[in-house]
Amino acid sequence: MSLRRPVSPDGSAAAFLDRRRLLRAALAAGTVAAAGGAPSRSRAAAVRTRARIVIAGAGAAGLATAARLAARLDGAEITLLDRRREHLYQPGLTLVAAGLKPPGYVLGETAAFVPRGVRWIEERVAEFDPVARRVVTDAGRSLPYDHLVVATGLQLDYAAIAGMDTARIGRDGLGSVYAGPEEAAATWRALSAFADRGGTALFGRPSTEMKCAGAPLKHTFITDDILRRRGNRGRAELIYNAHSGALFGVPIVSERVRMLFEERGVRVNYRHELEAIDLGRRIATFRTPSGPVEIGYDFITVVPPMRAPEAVRNSPLPWQDGPLAADGWVEADRATLRHPRFPEVFAVGDVAGVPKGKTAASVKWQVPVAVDHLVADIAGTRSEAAYNGYTSCPLITRIGRAMLVEFDYHDNLVPSFPGVVAPLEELWITWVMKAIALKPTYLAMLRGRA
Amino acid sequence: MKELDPWVFLAVLQEMLGPLLWGLLALAGLAAIGFLAVLVRDRGRLRARRLVWAEAAGLLGGIAAVLLTHAVTDSGFADIGGPIDWVVLAAIFLAGGFGTTIAAYAVFGLTGRNDRRHRIAGA
């Protein structure tokens, strides 16, 4: 028996139900609400200091860092810099684009999460000057610092795809989950229209580092599921265009996804990266080893290349060489998140130039490590905290099931519940976690409580 | 991962429910106190007839818990994928059933419904 209740494309009917749904969920599934685990709260006595700490960016990483620093320091001058007032719960965008949640589900207010004692300036960092130890905002304000945490997030580079226009998401079969909550809802409208008609659907990812590398895979699985529910799977061809020779960065997960795609009849093109799109004629052009390849489509979800924000790229902070240099990711020790050339600088979240994971789960495990080292610097002690690259992805394989994929820098699977929640098994419990427990855990993380 | 901290569990529940969490905990507390009060009043004996009716209500409570979980997660029985899913489903049923049974027994005891002389030794 199923009681699925997808919301209407505009989601309005579901918005006011959200709290009631959560209430019911807790009544019915309280035992799983905190699944996923979390580190202990810091109970150490606060360190007295007058240090000036600047946190560039008030997204997930910036807010979580501010919360933890505020709890562990007494008297520090902590400044958060971010112009955006809206906070986005980005892991929820996939659910919005699946028609299961309204756009409001992912929206919050930054102000609600700024900890007491932390000054939030609604300006963006326009210039990083780590040599002089100061940042300059887009309003021209110069802020000197003793310690800097770079948590700016990243930039979606839609302009790198010739012909792409985010204003047309939702029309002419164009979808893109990442662009924002309204765009995710518009993507659902385009997907829903496609699921009624059938045709060819294209999915894929860029060759740059990207946030939540599982998202394009999830979206492919969800599209397959919705087509089946509407009885139109036989009228549709789904093609996933992988940028490399694999479907996921972790080989064992890649192989599992390959098996599932084969089972679901999803065709895969390897070494295909979207370079141009003709929105009017519905033709996508892919960069391949043998030259450009054009594929017509009825529905496409575009995942743009992702890079560090311009202010970061134009500063001395990025890697100077190696695979993470081209897109300007901030150079950071992979275990401590500390900048090797500017030791008073840390990088956390999407902008951090570490090899794995640009996800909320990465943030959850990076922030306590960076904060511990920063506080140790102030206290004149030494921290042994180390980040092992842990990240996780509830990889949705259909509405109602997901695989809990957790891994580290070395592509090892690091399951939270070994022997209980199998990492490569499609499970209902994993879906339930994603549906009701992930957002509260995320919000608790922003407050430094998880 | 690594450890489950009761404070984290509480923080997550608070984020999930807001102030409603305290209302729910108060409700659960009231049910437990009511159950104990009825038990003390009856000198530690469970009334068989009342218990049977409370268990019948508990059965419905368990079923409701499962259906509500499905409703809020947009999923259903067809999505059960492995043994842990059955374990979780059973746990949800038992938690809903047990809570409802306790609450119903308290309510029946305090309102005098379903009371007869049949008793079984207990508590």
Side-chain angles (χ1 to χ4, degrees):
Chain A
M1 179 179 175
S2 171
L3 288 176
R4 291 187 181 91
R5 289 187 299 182
V7 298
S8 57
D10 70 2
S12 54
F16 79 99
L17 284 175
D18 220 37
R19 180 54 65 92
R20 286 179 63 193
R21 284 185 165 206
L22 287 174
L23 166 63
R24 291 172 185 162
L27 283 167
T31 49
V32 298
S40 296
R41 286 197 309 176
S42 170
R43 294 181 179 83
V47 175
R48 286 196 64 80
T49 177
R50 297 181 66 84
R52 298 164 302 175
I53 303 170
V54 168
I55 302 169
L63 287 171
T65 302
R68 286 184 177 266
L69 284 174
R72 294 191 58 180
L73 298 174
D74 179 11
E77 186 186 301
I78 304 170
T79 306
L80 260 174
L81 289 169
D82 202 317
R83 186 167 280 286
R84 203 175 60 189
R85 293 181 176 182
E86 280 180 344
H87 181 85
L88 286 187
Y89 167 60
Q90 295 180 72
L93 288 171
T94 309
L95 298 179
V96 176
L100 296 171
K101 298 287 183 190
Y105 174 70
V106 299
L107 283 173
E109 288 181 11
T110 300
F113 299 100
V114 176
R116 193 174 300 166
V118 172
R119 181 170 63 141
W120 172 32
I121 299 175
E122 292 178 45
E123 293 167 20
R124 185 177 51 80
V125 175
E127 183 189 337
F128 291 90
D129 186 351
V131 177
R133 294 190 185 184
R134 68 179 186 119
V135 296
V136 180
T137 71
D138 54 354
R141 187 195 302 255
S142 177
L143 285 165
Y145 63 78
D146 301 308
H147 304 272
L148 171 69
V149 179
V150 186
T152 55
L154 52 69
Q155 182 189 327
L156 301 173
D157 194 2
Y158 280 103
I161 300 167
M164 178 61 192
D165 180 2
T166 53
R168 292 176 67 173
I169 293 171
R171 288 185 281 152
D172 302 324
L174 175 64
S176 187
V177 179
Y178 287 88
E182 292 305 330
E183 288 82 355
T187 298
W188 163 243
R189 287 196 292 274
L191 192 167
S192 184
F194 167 74
D196 283 337
R197 289 189 317 268
T200 299
L202 302 180
F203 307 89
R205 58 154 290 176
S207 60
T208 62
E209 295 288 316
M210 64 175 286
K211 59 173 79 205
C212 190
L217 302 170
K218 295 177 201 178
H219 199 60
T220 310
F221 281 120
I222 287 169
T223 304
D224 169 78
D225 188 31
I226 289 170
L227 280 161
R228 287 175 198 276
R229 284 162 192 256
R230 300 201 184 165
N232 286 334
R233 184 61 182 92
R235 297 166 62 185
E237 182 174 32
L238 305 190
I239 304 172
Y240 187 87
N241 296 285
H243 73 291
S244 67
L247 291 164
F248 199 79
V250 180
I252 193 169
V253 178
S254 177
E255 191 57 15
R256 177 68 175 133
V257 173
R258 185 196 62 76
M259 290 162 65
L260 287 171
F261 272 1
E262 195 172 295
E263 186 185 305
R264 309 278 160 89
V266 176
R267 213 178 94 197
V268 177
N269 290 328
Y270 292 101
R271 295 176 190 85
H272 277 53
E273 184 182 16
L274 185 66
E275 64 174 7
I277 188 165
D278 185 331
L279 297 174
R281 294 167 58 218
R282 298 195 187 195
I283 293 174
T285 305
F286 292 87
R287 190 179 301 116
T288 77
S290 53
V293 171
E294 289 189 349
I295 307 178
Y297 64 84
D298 298 286
F299 174 65
I300 185 170
T301 52
V302 172
V303 182
M306 303 185 195
R307 315 189 194 289
E310 194 179 353
V312 173
R313 292 203 311 272
N314 293 339
S315 78
L317 293 173
W319 284 93
Q320 304 298 295
D321 51 39
L324 298 167
D327 294 314
W329 308 112
V330 175
E331 187 172 357
D333 179 274
R334 62 167 66 185
T336 66
L337 289 316
R338 186 193 293 276
H339 200 294
R341 289 177 283 125
F342 305 105
E344 65 286 345
V345 177
F346 290 85
V348 287
D350 289 351
V351 78
V354 293
K356 279 277 190 295
K358 297 195 182 300
T359 69
S362 306
V363 168
K364 185 169 178 295
W365 295 98
Q366 286 175 358
V367 166
V369 171
V371 166
D372 207 57
H373 282 271
L374 200 159
V375 171
D377 288 355
I378 291 171
T381 58
R382 189 176 162 77
S383 169
E384 298 298 328
Y387 172 60
N388 68 356
Y390 173 88
T391 192
S392 77
C393 171
L395 213 168
I396 298 167
T397 54
R398 73 182 212 194
I399 295 170
R401 278 192 194 171
M403 300 190 295
L404 186 56
V405 178
E406 301 165 281
F407 51 93
D408 64 13
Y409 281 140
H410 304 291
D411 295 338
N412 295 316
L413 293 179
V414 284
S416 293
F417 312 99
V420 180
V421 180
L424 299 178
E425 194 173 352
E426 295 179 81
L427 294 172
W428 174 65
I429 173 67
T430 308
W431 167 264
V432 170
M433 280 191 237
K434 165 85 183 174
I436 63 170
L438 212 62
K439 186 177 176 187
T441 307
Y442 173 92
L443 297 178
M445 175 190 82
L446 295 189
R447 299 188 205 279
R449 298 181 69 196
Chain B
M1 193 175 110
K2 292 174 185 166
E3 55 184 298
L4 276 173
D5 184 326
W7 291 108
V8 173
F9 189 88
L10 180 67
V12 171
L13 283 179
Q14 275 183 308
E15 294 294 346
M16 188 183 278
L17 297 166
L20 288 173
L21 173 65
W22 307 116
L24 283 172
L25 287 176
L27 212 62
L30 277 178
I33 290 167
F35 177 77
L36 287 174
V38 170
L39 212 57
V40 168
R41 189 192 67 189
D42 295 343
R43 299 194 179 102
R45 289 167 189 272
L46 285 169
R47 302 271 175 132
R49 186 179 175 82
R50 189 192 300 153
L51 184 62
V52 167
W53 278 105
E55 284 172 344
L59 193 66
L60 293 177
I63 293 169
V66 169
L67 295 183
L68 286 173
T69 307
H70 284 163
V72 296
T73 58
D74 300 294
S75 57
F77 288 109
D79 295 317
I80 297 290
I84 185 61
D85 290 343
W86 287 111
V87 171
V88 170
L89 200 69
I92 291 168
F93 175 80
L94 289 174
F98 182 74
T100 311
T101 301
I102 296 292
Y105 190 89
V107 170
F108 293 159
L110 292 170
T111 59
R113 290 172 66 91
N114 307 315
D115 277 352
R116 293 275 176 88
R117 275 188 293 168
H118 308 300
R119 296 177 177 184
I120 57 170

